[in-house]
Amino acid sequence: DTGVSQDPRHKITKRGQNVTFRCDPISEHNRLYWYRQTLGQGPEFLTYFQNEAQLEKSRLLSDRFSAERPKGSFSTLEIQRTEQGDSAMYLCASSLVAGSGNEQFFGPGTRLTVL
Amino acid sequence: QKEVEQNSGPLSVPEGAIASLNCTYSDRGSQSFFWYRQYSGKSPELIMFIYSNGDKEDGRFTAQLNKASQYVSLLIRDSQPSDSATYLCAVNLYNTDKLIFGTGTRLQVFP
């Protein structure tokens, strides 16, 4: 399978705990994006990388959230001191910047439940 | 005003009919427009994108873009029950690579 992969697929944690998610993009893609989706809403942008550089962060991304892409390949998203409002599907997408399409392909997502 | 607006639906069409899904956007700096399909509990799947005014066809799907009126639509011909899903419209602004999504339109195709 050469698509975007995410791990874990599901995570249940208690409020106040830290969690970390991993995303592996499509191998030749140099851009990687994180989105968050709650029930009945479209995905909301969180942050994105071109290679290892983090180019943009949403104002939604509080200082409890941090993302890295250390070698320009996989990325991690960490949430510290989780809150119940962090419960959502966390989606990773990747794209190859070529032309004006910027087609983003999503992974299966990590569903986070904070108790 | 939301940046990307879609009617939440559900839009119900009989099998074999044409389903028409609409999306309006507020920022005239929008550059590219995307349609994603999302089945319940799954992640969004890219159907097609468009960036020039007019129509773009791919199999049973046609995307239509009218930048002057700031709307983009998706037509699904010969709708099948397997097309029943939520369809998300997304917009890419000129000065960024992030996508801004609407809330999606739920489509139901009944036999």
Side-chain angles (χ1 to χ4, degrees):
Chain A
D1 185 15
T2 57
V4 178
S5 61
Q6 293 186 245
D7 184 71
R9 297 288 302 275
H10 302 274
K11 179 70 177 179
I12 300 173
T13 191
K14 293 182 179 180
R15 189 176 53 187
Q17 298 295 304
N18 299 344
V19 295
T20 300
F21 309 142
R22 175 179 170 127
C23 171
D24 287 85
I26 295 171
S27 59
E28 65 269 25
H29 285 186
N30 55 2
R31 293 209 171 181
L32 187 149
Y33 308 79
W34 286 99
Y35 293 84
R36 178 174 65 188
Q37 186 177 26
T38 54
L39 196 63
Q41 301 298 312
E44 289 179 302
F45 170 78
L46 294 178
T47 188
Y48 84 96
F49 295 83
Q50 177 168 314
N51 299 315
E52 64 274 11
Q54 189 172 20
L55 296 188
E56 188 173 349
K57 291 171 59 174
S58 167
R59 287 189 294 271
L60 293 174
L61 212 64
S62 77
D63 55 7
R64 296 186 297 107
F65 288 70
S66 62
E68 294 183 339
R69 194 182 182 197
K71 297 183 179 180
S73 56
F74 72 90
S75 175
T76 57
L77 177 68
E78 181 182 18
I79 308 174
Q80 296 182 327
R81 305 181 303 281
T82 53
E83 301 172 356
Q84 287 185 327
D86 297 331
S87 296
M89 175 79 89
Y90 289 82
L91 295 162
C92 176
S94 70
S95 71
L96 177 65
V97 180
S100 55
N102 189 26
E103 300 156 81
Q104 296 182 24
F105 298 92
F106 283 86
T110 294
R111 183 168 296 282
L112 173 66
T113 302
V114 181
L115 302 176
Chain B
Q1 181 185 8
K2 291 183 179 178
E3 293 179 272
V4 180
E5 295 207 47
Q6 296 181 258
N7 188 316
S8 61
L11 173 66
S12 293
V13 300
E15 184 174 358
I18 296 175
S20 177
L21 303 157
N22 300 313
C23 170
T24 59
Y25 59 94
S26 60
D27 195 323
R28 290 194 175 273
S30 302
Q31 184 181 27
S32 304
F33 307 84
F34 301 80
W35 284 100
Y36 286 82
R37 176 174 63 196
Q38 187 171 30
Y39 293 111
S40 180
K42 303 295 185 182
S43 63
E45 174 191 6
L46 181 64
I47 299 173
M48 62 192 305
F49 74 94
I50 186 169
Y51 55 85
S52 297
N53 274 328
D55 294 0
K56 180 181 179 182
E57 187 174 318
D58 184 0
R60 295 187 298 113
F61 299 98
T62 298
Q64 299 174 319
L65 174 62
N66 184 322
K67 289 188 176 181
S69 300
Q70 295 178 242
Y71 83 78
V72 58
S73 62
L74 180 71
L75 301 178
I76 306 175
R77 289 181 299 281
D78 189 24
S79 296
Q80 301 297 309
S82 59
D83 294 326
S84 298
T86 295
Y87 289 80
L88 296 163
C89 171
V91 169
N92 182 197
L93 300 181
Y94 177 74
N95 59 350
T96 176
D97 289 305
K98 67 183 181 186
L99 294 181
I100 300 172
F101 284 83
T103 55
T105 298
R106 189 156 65 92
L107 173 66
Q108 294 178 335
V109 182
F110 56 92

